[in-house]
Amino acid sequence: MRVGFIGLGNVGAKLAGSLLRNGHDLWVHDLDDALIQGFVDCGAMAASSPAELMRECEAVVTCLPSPAACNAVVSAMIPEVTDGTIWMEMSTTDAEEVKRLAALVEARGGAAVECPVSGGCHRAATGNISIFAGCDRATFERVLPLLTTLGRRVLHTGPIGSASLLKVMTNYLATANLLTCCEALVTMKAAGLDLSTTYEAIKISSGTSFVHETESQMILNGCRDINFTMDLVKKDIGLFQEIAERHEVPLEISPLMISIFEDGIARFGERAQSDDIIRRLEEATGLDITAPGFPAEMIDDEPEEPGYEVVPNR
């Protein structure tokens, strides 16, 4: 199958790399010509536009930073959609917007799958990331071989829109985890605890989480580089807040999280790494939340394994 990939950013490049590494006939496009050239040098084909990519490929994956970017790209591809063409949306986006764009693709005889990922850039790089897939069952079975190349655990979430809702939810939870880890580390430092010991205490306790075992290491190293920026966090938790408001759920923690990241963006810039949010507490307390022995880069130490479908218990 000829596969196109649009969006070679932090996550997209790693996902596209899994396709190329596993022998897929890959075409790529991005606004950054240098990113395209890097893939061409490794054996991919370059497309000059989203329309050309859709024209040349049987399936096209988009992995873009915002709903607006996705709308622009899909709108450019729509005239080239034909019977059997598949559009696969791997961005974190608004469920209503992805449903609208999917309807446009389907109206021209194509098929649409929303398949956002979760698990961090380091797992995207090894093909061990998790994938939520929203689409009809027949389309899911058509794209499952691609999805199990891109990721390890693949969950069919239901119709178009369901995967985006769940993905936004998981990013909300990850952000809440990040903020509580920041508060825990700063408070223990203020109380005189050794931060390496604090890290291990959280890791072996009921207080641990995926976020702690990854992002706390980046915080303690001092690099704070988790390949995810504050503007993207604000977008994702904002989308979650919109879902709650649409369904009249009176959230209390979510608005506070949004205000914290708005303050972080005002202080450090929208492209600051999300883990830099701890600097608000460092500045308020005068404490340095770093410790020796933690890595400057997250690397997935699990070997790449064939992916599989995760089936819910019902």
Side-chain angles (χ1 to χ4, degrees):
M1 180 183 287
R2 294 188 306 281
V3 183
F5 205 105
I6 301 176
L8 303 174
N10 285 335
V11 176
K14 295 172 177 62
L15 294 168
S18 288
L19 293 172
L20 194 60
R21 184 173 63 252
N22 285 282
H24 286 276
D25 186 0
L26 183 68
W27 292 62
V28 295
H29 180 71
D30 193 274
L31 294 177
D32 188 333
D33 290 338
L35 295 177
I36 295 174
Q37 190 59 49
F39 273 85
V40 169
D41 291 344
C42 293
M45 297 290 292
S48 61
S49 67
E52 181 187 1
L53 206 66
M54 180 59 80
R55 190 164 55 246
E56 294 292 341
C57 297
E58 298 161 83
V60 174
V61 180
T62 51
C63 189
L64 301 163
S66 69
C70 184
N71 174 58
V73 166
V74 176
S75 296
M77 293 193 300
I78 287 295
E80 302 299 332
V81 172
T82 58
D83 287 349
T85 304
I86 305 170
W87 168 51
M88 299 171 63
E89 167 63 302
M90 301 196 79
S91 317
T92 301
T93 190
D94 176 66
E96 295 305 312
E97 177 67 357
V98 79
K99 286 193 284 187
R100 183 186 72 82
L101 293 174
L104 297 178
V105 171
E106 290 164 355
R108 292 187 60 86
V113 187
E114 48 157 358
C115 38
V117 299
S118 183
C121 283
H122 62 300
R123 288 190 174 176
T126 58
N128 287 330
I129 203 161
S130 297
I131 301 176
F132 301 153
C135 58
D136 62 82
R137 185 68 200 184
T139 300
F140 175 76
E141 291 177 358
R142 283 180 66 194
V143 300
L144 186 57
L146 279 180
L147 295 176
T148 53
T149 297
L150 290 159
R152 182 187 294 186
R153 299 171 184 88
V154 180
L155 176 66
H156 182 216
T157 59
I160 287 281
S162 58
S164 289
L165 291 173
L166 289 169
K167 167 60 177 174
V168 168
M169 176 203 70
T170 63
N171 278 19
Y172 168 76
L173 291 171
T175 304
N177 272 223
L178 171 61
L179 292 175
T180 55
C181 284
C182 289
E183 293 192 350
L185 291 170
V186 174
T187 301
M188 290 301 98
K189 174 78 173 199
L193 272 292
D194 173 76
L195 287 177
S196 295
T197 303
T198 298
Y199 173 84
E200 295 298 335
I202 298 172
K203 184 177 178 180
I204 66 172
S205 75
S206 58
T208 197
S209 65
F210 175 83
V211 170
H212 171 65
E213 293 179 23
T214 54
E215 298 195 42
S216 289
Q217 294 197 67
M218 299 295 95
I219 289 170
L220 291 169
N221 172 272
C223 71
R224 313 286 161 82
D225 186 2
I226 201 65
N227 283 313
F228 203 69
T229 52
M230 288 193 188
D231 59 332
L232 295 179
V233 173
K234 182 186 172 185
K235 178 203 74 172
D236 291 351
I237 60 179
L239 288 171
F240 181 79
Q241 178 66 27
E242 289 173 11
I243 295 167
E245 290 173 357
R246 194 178 305 138
H247 296 280
E248 300 182 349
V249 182
L251 300 182
E252 297 175 295
I253 297 172
S254 173
L256 178 58
M257 290 166 50
I258 292 170
S259 69
I260 289 171
F261 269 90
E262 286 175 341
D263 181 63
I265 288 169
R267 294 184 189 212
F268 313 125
E270 63 179 12
R271 301 305 291 169
Q273 290 291 307
S274 59
D275 288 357
D276 266 343
I277 202 68
I278 198 170
R279 288 168 56 193
R280 294 173 69 254
L281 290 172
E282 286 181 313
E283 291 177 356
T285 61
L287 297 173
D288 173 32
I289 309 302
T290 58
F294 290 93
E297 179 184 7
M298 285 308 307
I299 296 174
D300 186 12
D301 58 6
E302 295 184 22
E304 184 171 4
E305 295 181 2
Y308 58 89
E309 181 183 357
V310 173
V311 181
N313 291 324
R314 291 193 174 96

